[in-house]
Every structure is written in structure tokens, then in C-alpha cells.
Amino acid sequence: MDERVPRDFETLRTTILERRHSLPKRIAQIAAYALDNPDDIAFGTAASIAASAGVQPSTLIRFAQQLGFDGFTSLQLVFRERLRERNSSYDERLAALRAKAEEGAGHRAIFDGFVAAASTSLNDISGRLNEDHFEDAIALLAKAETIYVLAKRRSYPVASYIAYALGKLKIRNQLIESAAGLNAEMISFASPRDAVIAISFSPYAPAAIEEARVISEQGVPIVAITDSSFSPLAQFAKVWFEVAEADFAGFRSLSATMALAMALTVAVGEKRRDEGRKRKA
Amino acid sequence: MDERVPRDFETLRTTILERRHSLPKRIAQIAAYALDNPDDIAFGTAASIAASAGVQPSTLIRFAQQLGFDGFTSLQLVFRERLRERNSSYDERLAALRAKAEEGAGHRAIFDGFVAAASTSLNDISGRLNEDHFEDAIALLAKAETIYVLAKRRSYPVASYIAYALGKLKIRNQLIESAAGLNAEMISFASPRDAVIAISFSPYAPAAIEEARVISEQGVPIVAITDSSFSPLAQFAKVWFEVAEADFAGFRSLSATMALAMALTVAVGEKRRDEGRKRKA
DNA sequence: GGCAATATGAAATAATAATTCCAATCCATA
DNA sequence: TATGGATTGGAATTATTATTTCATATTGCC
């Protein structure tokens, strides 16, 4: 292999863009395809890539050779390396933020720590959400007459947001608060035609668990957001989501829970609208 | 291939972890290696992976088959798919998420949209926070006798979280709620030795603005979190933060506001503790 | 401790994929 | 428009890689 073969993706990219106009038609075609679909180059076979790009496999090899590689395989390595490095760079960035926060230089570090925790949590839930459970929860909530929202202490802000959003979407809902001490009565109105969104994380607020138990015994289906399958909430729930929030300075993030709550709420709103339309038609 | 073969990485991961203890030694060995070095599985050949993990290629294939795949190749696809999705740089990934959300394929897209909005907001505020303002706000709040927390509607969840966290840190605070209709009286107790955290975004809740006006006229210093310098809150505030939250489906994220609120709260707690210690010394 | 079932190692084989080669085509230039 | 060089398509070849097979070893059980 030549001495000045592009070893990293960025150099390769630049090289391709420079030579773009002096390349033969088919080679230019595969060059454009490569820059547009780098992932395909990284994972595909010569044949599959050639087919997607509308050229012959041999053209792909000629392209690689023009750039100084000794074949398609060596070119592909650069595209693969890119995926490896890019991937770690994000994690590294987060780790840096977190490290800066942990070495504890002043108040800025506190802020960085919370941003890092929130990002981590979002990142995590994004890959973890079980789509089937999500659909089940939406279906369950969409057909409820009234949606009860149950959460105490740290989770209460999420509940209050859900209540706000449901209100904006004109979906009947009832936040189970403790202010007036009338929770027991409020709960007794719930029927199996209603549904509950319950949120609680370890250490589980006893009141939340107790209310969830009572309401589930009345036959009201519960959608739970909690932190593990050992959660007492999980056993009362028809559907439950596991959300692992990162923490900083002993305060856990709420970002993932919040995102899930927003998505649930809006999805329920959308499903109701769709079904309302169907019923009319 | 079996019907319930894990086809996404997370499911696969869970499945492996579940069966971990019932797997034969060498299979368990490759299983552990796979979870520790997912990138190697994605890129390597059966032979190279087997060598790195210290097993025979055939063991790798047996491992794949135990999981229900029909061979190493199908197992590898899952690991590759993961890299495609965890794709590239943070920004690109966000863009991908947002694009997926915008093309609007079902409920999953809604979830992706909210995660993307939250991530964007966090990313944004991370670079934007004015450190001097942050220090000023902390100083101001740390010396307050009582911290009043003022927010309505969409911002209310943030306020309720702040109140919860301040409580946990044993910092005297008062959430200005509308429930009992006694806000005016509550506000009249505030003195210049106290402080206010006020949060409001366009469209500003009239009650929040009005209460902020009254309380500032009483000489109580206000720390505001809002969305622009044109915000009516900004003019009443001693210190104010501009937070630009991304939105999805008409619902704006709260993640950046939340992170800032948490950081403020904890930083105030820390400053008070430090000063308490100094005073004793 | 012996037997059967299960697991493992190593090499043979089958499958798949990359590369090469050559004929056909295209294109610029005279 | 004829000619030579460059480019391209497609099949043949070679290389690489996954998979299968079978002999051997290990483990659990009576």
C-alpha cells in the first residue's frame, strides 16, 4: 500500500472531495455513494454495496485502488474504524463532563454533573425502551375514561407535568395529591374503565405504593414507571417501564422519566384523536 | 430462525444476562466477551473473535444457535445494527433521532422526538450557561432566609422539584401555589431578606408575572429562569437565565430547565454548608 | 466408579465474498 | 469518422470465512 493512503475517515473524505471532479463517471458515482452512506460501506459486502450504488463490484475495487488502497477490504477498514471511534468519542465526552463534575471544581462542576446525568439517562432510555410495552401502555390509557396520575415526592413533578399535558390535550385526568388529605375518597371513585399512571422510584414512597395497591385491587389497570422489576409498583401494574436514571450528588435525574412521560401523554392524545376520527368515518 | 430471536441489541443483552448462569463454560465465556466487546463482535470474523475470546470458532456458532440464531452471521447482524443506530457522533445521532421522529412512523417516533428534544436542550444549555450569573444567583439564594418558588402551568413541575430538593437539603422554602387561593397573602410575607426563584416561559402565565411584579416591588430579589430578554420576568429579576428548550409536537422539553434548577438548588445547599462551617471556625 | 449425556476442540467442507481478467464500450482527439 | 486509450461490465478465479462433522473430553448422575 502507498505511503500516503488516507488512514482516517476525515482525510479520506477530504481526498475524495478534492478528486471528485477528476474521477471517471462510475467511480464518481461510487464515491458519492460512499460519502452519503458511510455505514453501508462499513458493513456491506462488495457485492451488496455495488448493487445499492448501481455499479459493478469491480468498480468498487477500482475506486479503492484509485485512492491508493490495495483493495476494497482495506478501504472498508477505514469506514469501520470511523464507527468505532465516533462511538467512543461520545462516551468520552460524557465521561469528561462527568469527570470534571466529580473532581468538584466549584459550582460550575455541579451544573456539569447534572447535565451529564441527564444526558446519560436519556441516552440510556433511548436504547432501552420496550416498544411493545409502550404500545400496550398507550392502548390501555387511550381507552380510559379518566386517567389518574399517582406520584409522590421526587416523582411528583413528573406527575404534575403529565396532568398539565393531559389537560392541554383535553383528556380527563385526576392528579392524586395529598394536599387536602382526601386521597382515599378520590381513589375510591376510580373504576376498571379508568386507568392509572403511577410513578415511583426507590426508596418508594409508602403512600404511593399503598395507593397503587388499593387502586389495583379495585380493578383499575396501572401503567407504572419505576426503576426495577423488584419494585413493588411493578407487581401491581398491567404494564411497567424500567427507567434507570443517572444521579449526581445524590440527586437522581428526571430527564428520562420526563421524556417517557411526555411521549406517553402525547401518544395517548394522538391515539384518541385517531380513534375518534375512525368512529366518525 | 425461531420466532422469538432477539433482534435488537438490548433484548439480546437481556436474554444473555438471564441465561448467563445456565450456559456451559465456554459458551458463557464467549457470552461475557460479547457483552464486554460488542464492537469486536460487530467487526470481527468468527475466527478472530474466537481467538480473542479464547474459544474455538465453532463455540461461537454454538453460542449463536443457543440464542436462537441460525448462525454466527445472524447474531453479528444485531451487533452491527446496534452500531448503526448508536451511530457516529452525538450530533449526527441526534439528527437521526429527530429525523426518524419527524418522518412520523408511529408512537415510537413520538418517544424519539421527546428524547431528541431533551438532548438538544441539554446540549444547548451546557454551552450557554453564564457562569457569572450562575455564581450571582447562588450567592443571592444562599443568603436568603426563605426561598420562595414561583411557577405556574408548564413550569410548575420544575418548581415542585425545587421545593422538594430544597426540603431535602433542609433549606426553608415556600412554593407559591394557587390551590387555596391565598397567594397574595403568602407573597405579602416575603421580605428583602428572602429570595425568589421564578420560572416562566412564553406564553407567560399572567398570574406568574403579576406575582413576580408584586414581590419584586416589595424588594425581594428574584432569580428568574425564562426564555428571552424580552420576557416580562427578566425585568423584575436581579439575575436571570435564558434557557432555550427544544420542542416536539408542540410540547417543549423541560430537561435543560430541570438540570439548571437542580444545579442551582444543590449549589445553594453546598454554599450554605460551606459558610456554616466557616462561621463556626 | 461407570455410564450416558453434554460440551469441546480441531480439521474438513461448504458458502460467500473479494479480486482478477478480458472483452465490450465509451470518449477524446486527430 | 477512425483510432487509441481509458473505462466499464460481467464472468471466472481465488481467497477468505462460516459452518459442519466427528473424535475426544468433561460433567452430572446413578
Side-chain angles (χ1 to χ4, degrees):
Chain A
M1 215 192 287
D2 191 309
E3 285 307 307
R4 42 191 176 186
V5 173
R7 216 180 290 293
D8 65 285
F9 185 75
E10 271 314 312
T11 315
L12 178 59
R13 213 179 97 88
T14 314
T15 311
I16 293 174
L17 288 172
E18 269 169 14
R19 302 205 199 158
R20 186 167 36 168
H21 298 294
S22 62
L23 291 172
K25 198 170 72 172
R26 291 269 114 113
I27 309 264
Q29 189 175 326
I30 192 73
Y33 183 86
L35 293 187
D36 284 349
N37 309 63
D39 290 8
D40 287 356
I41 307 283
F43 290 123
T45 67
S48 71
I49 297 165
S52 310
V55 300
Q56 289 290 325
S58 44
T59 307
L60 193 54
I61 285 150
R62 287 179 195 124
F63 168 59
Q65 286 168 343
Q66 287 244 357
L67 292 167
F69 296 96
D70 55 23
F72 165 68
T73 309
S74 354
L75 170 74
Q76 193 178 39
L77 285 181
V78 175
F79 282 79
R80 290 188 169 182
E81 204 44 50
R82 162 178 168 273
L83 279 188
R84 270 188 211 253
E85 284 179 0
R86 285 275 188 119
N87 216 48
S88 65
S89 82
Y90 170 67
D91 292 342
E92 276 167 25
R93 194 171 107 189
L94 250 187
L97 207 60
R98 212 177 299 130
K100 219 171 66 186
E102 269 164 19
E103 78 191 23
H107 294 139
R108 169 75 200 210
I110 295 176
F111 176 73
D112 287 343
F114 281 113
V115 171
S119 296
T120 306
S121 303
L122 283 167
N123 203 37
D124 194 68
I125 200 179
S126 168
R128 266 195 149 77
L129 182 84
N130 183 317
E131 220 160 316
D132 294 338
H133 291 178
F134 191 53
E135 290 299 333
D136 291 349
I138 294 164
L140 200 156
L141 293 168
K143 65 170 205 273
E145 281 179 5
T146 298
I147 296 176
Y148 287 82
V149 187
L150 170 58
K152 311 282 166 181
R153 304 171 54 79
R154 193 180 78 89
S155 309
Y156 175 74
V158 182
S160 68
Y161 185 83
I162 293 175
Y164 163 78
L166 286 173
K168 266 194 75 166
L169 292 165
K170 308 240 160 59
I171 295 172
R172 191 178 347 166
N173 68 92
Q174 180 61 59
L175 188 53
I176 304 177
E177 313 196 62
S178 15
L182 289 167
N183 286 357
E185 288 81 351
M186 197 182 281
I187 287 170
S188 72
F189 296 144
S191 87
R193 289 196 310 276
D194 300 324
V196 181
I197 301 179
I199 307 162
S200 185
F201 297 95
S202 165
Y204 313 99
I209 303 303
E210 175 58 15
E211 289 171 11
R213 191 186 60 75
V214 171
I215 210 164
S216 78
E217 280 170 3
Q218 286 170 223
V220 191
I222 297 183
V223 173
I225 301 179
T226 186
D227 51 3
S228 89
S229 47
F230 303 114
S231 161
L233 257 197
Q235 61 187 307
F236 301 132
K238 271 255 164 32
V239 188
W240 61 274
F241 297 96
E242 179 174 339
V243 177
E245 295 274 11
D247 79 297
F248 179 76
F251 286 83
R252 241 173 300 163
S253 160
L254 276 176
S255 60
T257 313
M258 218 42 164
L260 176 55
M262 286 171 152
L264 259 183
T265 310
V266 171
V268 168
E270 197 151 280
K271 188 167 182 106
R272 287 209 177 191
R273 220 189 43 214
D274 289 353
E275 283 173 1
R277 221 179 293 146
K278 258 185 234 145
R279 224 171 296 133
K280 269 185 200 156
Chain B
M1 214 192 290
D2 190 306
E3 284 309 306
R4 46 195 169 186
V5 174
R7 62 174 238 312
D8 67 286
F9 184 75
E10 270 315 313
T11 315
L12 178 58
R13 209 179 88 91
T14 314
T15 311
I16 292 174
L17 288 174
E18 268 169 14
R19 301 204 200 157
R20 186 168 36 170
H21 298 294
S22 62
L23 291 173
K25 198 171 69 171
R26 292 268 113 112
I27 309 262
Q29 188 174 329
I30 193 71
Y33 182 87
L35 293 187
D36 284 349
N37 310 62
D39 289 11
D40 288 356
I41 306 283
F43 290 122
T45 67
S48 71
I49 296 164
S52 309
V55 300
Q56 291 289 325
S58 45
T59 308
L60 230 185
I61 284 151
R62 287 178 194 125
F63 168 59
Q65 286 170 343
Q66 287 242 357
L67 292 167
F69 296 96
D70 55 23
F72 165 69
T73 308
S74 352
L75 171 74
Q76 193 178 38
L77 286 180
V78 175
F79 282 79
R80 293 191 164 178
E81 203 44 51
R82 162 177 167 277
L83 279 189
R84 281 177 117 98
E85 278 169 9
R86 299 219 135 200
N87 199 353
S88 61
S89 85
Y90 179 67
D91 292 341
E92 279 175 27
R93 181 149 100 223
L94 254 186
L97 209 59
R98 209 175 303 129
K100 222 169 65 184
E102 268 163 20
E103 79 191 23
H107 293 140
R108 170 75 200 209
I110 295 176
F111 175 73
D112 288 342
F114 281 113
V115 171
S119 297
T120 305
S121 302
L122 283 168
N123 208 33
D124 196 64
I125 200 180
S126 169
R128 260 192 151 79
L129 183 82
N130 182 317
E131 222 160 313
D132 294 338
H133 289 180
F134 191 54
E135 290 299 333
D136 292 349
I138 294 164
L140 199 156
L141 294 168
K143 66 171 206 272
E145 282 178 4
T146 298
I147 296 175
Y148 288 82
V149 188
L150 170 58
K152 312 281 165 181
R153 302 172 54 80
R154 193 180 77 90
S155 309
Y156 175 76
V158 183
S160 68
Y161 185 82
I162 293 175
Y164 162 77
L166 286 173
K168 265 193 77 167
L169 292 165
K170 308 241 159 57
I171 296 172
R172 188 168 1 153
N173 69 91
Q174 180 62 58
L175 188 55
I176 304 177
E177 313 195 64
S178 16
L182 290 169
N183 287 356
E185 288 81 348
M186 199 183 280
I187 286 169
S188 71
F189 297 144
S191 87
R193 290 196 308 278
D194 300 322
V196 181
I197 301 178
I199 307 161
S200 184
F201 297 95
S202 166
Y204 313 100
I209 302 303
E210 175 58 14
E211 289 171 9
R213 191 186 60 75
V214 171
I215 211 164
S216 79
E217 280 171 3
Q218 287 171 221
V220 190
I222 298 183
V223 172
I225 301 178
T226 186
D227 52 1
S228 89
S229 47
F230 303 113
S231 160
L233 256 197
Q235 59 185 310
F236 302 132
K238 271 255 167 23
V239 188
W240 61 275
F241 298 96
E242 178 173 340
V243 177
E245 296 273 11
D247 79 298
F248 179 77
F251 286 82
R252 240 173 301 163
S253 159
L254 276 177
S255 60
T257 313
M258 218 43 160
L260 177 56
M262 286 172 151
L264 259 183
T265 310
V266 171
V268 167
E270 198 152 281
K271 187 165 181 107
R272 288 209 177 193
R273 222 188 43 213
D274 289 352
E275 285 174 359
R277 223 178 291 148
K278 261 184 231 151
R279 225 171 295 134
K280 268 185 202 155

